[in-house]
Amino acid sequence: QVQFEESGGGLVQPGQSLKLSCTASGSGFGVEAMGWYRQAPGEHRQLVASQRNLRPIDYVDAVKGRFTLSRDYASNMVFLQMDNVKPEDTAVYYCYLNAFVRGRYLDYWGPGTQVTVSS
């Protein structure tokens, strides 16, 4: 079982910065990848950025050059530095983890943190 603790969401003005943090905890699993997804009202959940262990980071085109993903492997933490945010970045952001559990690769998502970009 995987538990998540997310933080850093809130209200921010266009052009400003925000940093999301996520810690995954639990036992019986090996982390294969971590990242962030987001879901705006009326839309499907979409990938923002993710990284398989020690591999290049994948970013959705809409955030390239503005958002930076980083990980603390020892603590099972993942961060999303969001710079020059735009109103279209408004969404619930979900921490994501892919884990190897009892012979299978499984996806897990945190409870989500709201990010609102508005002047």
Side-chain angles (χ1 to χ4, degrees):
Q1 190 72 14
V2 181
Q3 293 84 42
F4 294 91
E5 182 175 343
E6 299 169 341
S7 63
L11 174 64
V12 63
Q13 294 184 350
Q16 293 187 335
S17 298
L18 202 64
K19 186 173 184 178
L20 306 182
S21 300
C22 171
T23 303
S25 61
S27 61
F29 66 94
V31 176
E32 296 294 322
M34 293 191 77
W36 292 91
Y37 279 67
R38 68 185 179 186
Q39 186 169 14
E43 297 186 9
H44 296 294
R45 190 175 300 184
Q46 66 168 194
L47 173 69
V48 177
S50 71
Q51 183 188 30
R52 300 203 71 82
N53 293 344
L54 303 178
R55 298 283 184 88
I57 299 171
D58 293 319
Y59 293 97
V60 67
D61 286 346
V63 307
K64 285 181 179 178
R66 300 189 298 120
F67 291 9
T68 304
L69 183 83
S70 60
R71 292 178 59 186
D72 180 337
Y73 286 88
S75 300
N76 286 340
M77 298 183 71
V78 63
F79 307 94
L80 187 68
Q81 177 66 43
M82 306 167 60
D83 297 321
N84 190 24
V85 296
K86 303 176 180 180
E88 50 264 42
D89 295 322
T90 295
V92 178
Y93 283 71
Y94 296 91
C95 183
Y96 161 76
L97 181 149
N98 178 262
F100 189 71
V101 182
R102 294 188 297 276
R104 298 183 299 165
Y105 290 97
L106 299 175
D107 293 329
Y108 297 88
W109 282 268
T113 184
Q114 177 71 46
V115 172
T116 302
V117 182
S118 175
S119 55

